[in-house]
Amino acid sequence: MNSSDWMPDVSHPWTRFALVIIIALVVAGLIHRVSDALLRRLALRHPMGASIVAKANTPLEAIVPLVMVLLAFRVAPDEPARLIDGLEHLLGVGLIGACTWFLVRCIGAVEATVSRFNPIDLEDNLRARRLQTQSRVLARTGMVVTVVLGIGVALMTFPAVRQFGASLLASAGIAGIAVGLAAKPVLGNLIAGIQIALTQPIRIDDVVIVEGEWGKVEEITSTYVVVKIWDERRMIVPLQYFIETPFQNWTRTSSQILGSVLLWFDYGLPLEPLRGELERICKGASEWDGRVMVMQVVDSNDKGMQIRALVSSSNSGKSFDLRCKVREGLIAFVRRESPAYLPRLRGDLESQVRGVEAAPVPFTAKRSGRVYGQG
């Protein structure tokens, strides 16, 4: 058998086209292999670069062959290129999608690197929470914008869509108003996300009071915030809420906080021993940070006086535990040392014969006195 019988006819357009595609794929593989090795070597000294290379490697495996195949279409013979023009357009749309995927993965890699090098599981995590909040909100916003732009560019490659867009521009006034009203919630949350990232009224792991509920900011997305309530429920709050509605942020500038304990006692209770007991409780509690320890009489009425113990802690969680310890310790101290000065209710009672109602006596013989009953 002659070797010319099985050798392909390179003069045929389709054969030349197939050879061009094969060469393009081989070159694409070599380019990807070499570029991947160079990028990994350059990223050894840069943690963010290493994260980007690791996350963007998969999209690059699609981008490089698509680019080379599209270049092969440009240099291919005219006859096959005309026959598979639809395939070229499909590959172009795929390239747009791969580039969008690549940009989204790069943005995610930057966010992951910032979060990894700024952990929030520390005692003083204010800077880390600020950086994580900025990176997370801006990354989510950037991903949304990138995906929307990628879809828009891909759609504009279709002639029918371009004509439809031109017809829409003719009635841009009414259409713009309608689209603006329809997209108001989306755009409002998008702008609110940028505001939160820049001004930071809230951050990741902030302690907030929202709708009367105490909780921590667990997650900030491009449209809503997840607040983890103390009993492990989750409250989903739109981003615009934190721009338009007042709320409490207990860790805006620092996690340190003052906690108060209010107790009612009788006027006869000596205060100095009680202050000494408060000092003993605080010094024995690991939750007390040593900044503030004050006891004052802050209110009074016809039944007794109200005492406030003011103590400080490094964060709100420790403050709650310390307040409970102080409340329990002071009550136990008064019950043990001065039980007569616990809150009582006063009443007037007339003398009665044991088991039998006493006979009426003249008013001057009546004896009125003050007795106490446990409140």
Side-chain angles (χ1 to χ4, degrees):
M1 179 182 293
N2 195 350
S3 60
S4 61
D5 294 336
W6 58 269
M7 287 291 292
D9 184 8
V10 295
S11 62
H12 195 279
W14 282 101
T15 303
R16 294 201 303 272
F17 179 73
L19 289 175
V20 170
I21 295 298
I22 293 173
I23 293 173
L25 292 176
V26 173
V27 173
L30 293 176
I31 292 175
H32 180 265
R33 187 181 294 273
V34 173
S35 61
D36 183 65
L38 290 176
L39 289 175
R40 290 185 182 277
R41 178 170 295 181
L42 293 174
L44 291 176
R45 298 180 181 180
H46 303 281
M48 185 174 295
S51 179
I52 292 175
V53 170
K55 286 185 174 292
N57 185 55
T58 304
L60 281 176
E61 291 179 354
I63 291 176
V64 176
L66 286 173
V67 171
M68 296 306 300
V69 170
L70 286 174
L71 291 176
F73 271 69
R74 299 297 181 182
V75 301
D78 293 337
E79 182 180 351
R82 287 195 303 269
L83 292 176
I84 56 175
D85 185 61
L87 179 59
E88 182 180 2
H89 180 231
L90 183 62
L91 291 175
V93 173
L95 179 60
I96 294 173
C99 291
T100 303
W101 183 20
F102 172 77
L103 292 176
V104 170
R105 294 295 292 268
C106 289
I107 294 173
V110 174
E111 178 200 347
T113 304
V114 172
S115 299
R116 186 169 70 251
F117 285 93
N118 296 276
I120 60 176
D121 53 346
L122 303 173
E123 185 68 25
D124 186 11
N125 60 1
L126 182 61
R127 179 178 179 274
R129 291 190 290 112
R130 182 174 66 250
L131 292 175
Q132 280 206 25
T133 301
Q134 286 181 333
S135 63
R136 188 166 301 183
V137 175
L138 291 177
R140 298 292 190 274
T141 304
M143 289 178 183
V144 172
V145 172
T146 301
V147 171
V148 171
L149 290 178
I151 294 175
V153 172
L155 292 177
M156 291 302 293
T157 61
F158 294 90
V161 175
R162 286 200 300 267
Q163 294 175 2
F164 180 69
S167 63
L168 283 179
L169 290 176
S171 57
I174 299 176
I177 294 174
V179 172
L181 291 175
K184 182 180 177 181
V186 178
L187 295 176
N189 280 320
L190 187 63
I191 295 173
I194 297 175
Q195 287 181 282
I196 288 175
L198 297 178
T199 61
Q200 294 196 343
I202 57 171
R203 291 178 293 263
I204 300 296
D205 207 44
D206 263 346
V207 177
V208 295
I209 304 293
V210 179
E211 298 294 318
E213 297 282 1
W214 183 96
K216 288 187 176 182
V217 177
E218 184 177 48
E219 183 181 1
I220 301 178
T221 69
S222 58
T223 56
Y224 60 86
V225 176
V226 180
V227 178
K228 182 181 179 181
I229 303 175
W230 66 272
D231 57 1
E232 298 190 355
R233 291 176 294 153
R234 265 60 173 185
M235 180 182 293
I236 311 300
V237 187
L239 281 176
Q240 284 183 283
Y241 178 93
F242 295 97
I243 301 298
E244 300 174 352
T245 308
F247 66 96
Q248 296 184 39
N249 188 337
W250 289 11
T251 54
R252 178 69 178 86
T253 57
S254 173
S255 60
Q256 294 178 340
I257 192 171
L258 298 179
S260 61
V261 176
L262 299 175
L263 296 170
W264 285 93
F265 293 116
D266 190 83
Y267 286 110
L269 178 68
L271 298 181
E272 289 307 317
L274 197 63
R275 287 193 175 97
E277 180 65 13
L278 174 63
E279 182 177 359
R280 187 193 68 80
I281 294 172
C282 289
K283 289 183 177 180
S286 60
E287 295 84 0
W288 185 55
D289 62 3
R291 291 186 300 116
V292 178
M293 180 185 60
V294 178
M295 176 178 288
Q296 296 171 317
V297 177
V298 295
D299 196 6
S300 62
N301 57 23
D302 59 338
K303 297 181 179 65
M305 59 181 177
Q306 187 180 49
I307 293 176
R308 184 186 69 178
L310 195 64
V311 292
S312 62
S313 298
S314 58
N315 57 60
S316 57
K318 291 182 178 180
S319 178
F320 180 82
D321 294 337
L322 179 60
R323 288 165 58 199
C324 292
K325 283 186 178 181
V326 169
R327 187 180 295 110
E328 294 172 3
L330 293 181
I331 292 175
F333 175 79
V334 174
R335 290 186 62 184
R336 183 177 65 251
E337 302 295 333
S338 306
Y341 298 117
L342 290 170
R344 307 271 180 166
L345 293 178
R346 293 190 176 99
D348 292 330
L349 297 178
E350 292 184 347
S351 300
Q352 293 183 356
V353 179
R354 183 177 303 175
V356 180
E357 184 178 353
V361 295
F363 176 78
T364 55
K366 290 184 179 180
R367 183 176 59 185
S368 177
R370 301 277 186 178
V371 298
Y372 292 89
Q374 180 69 41

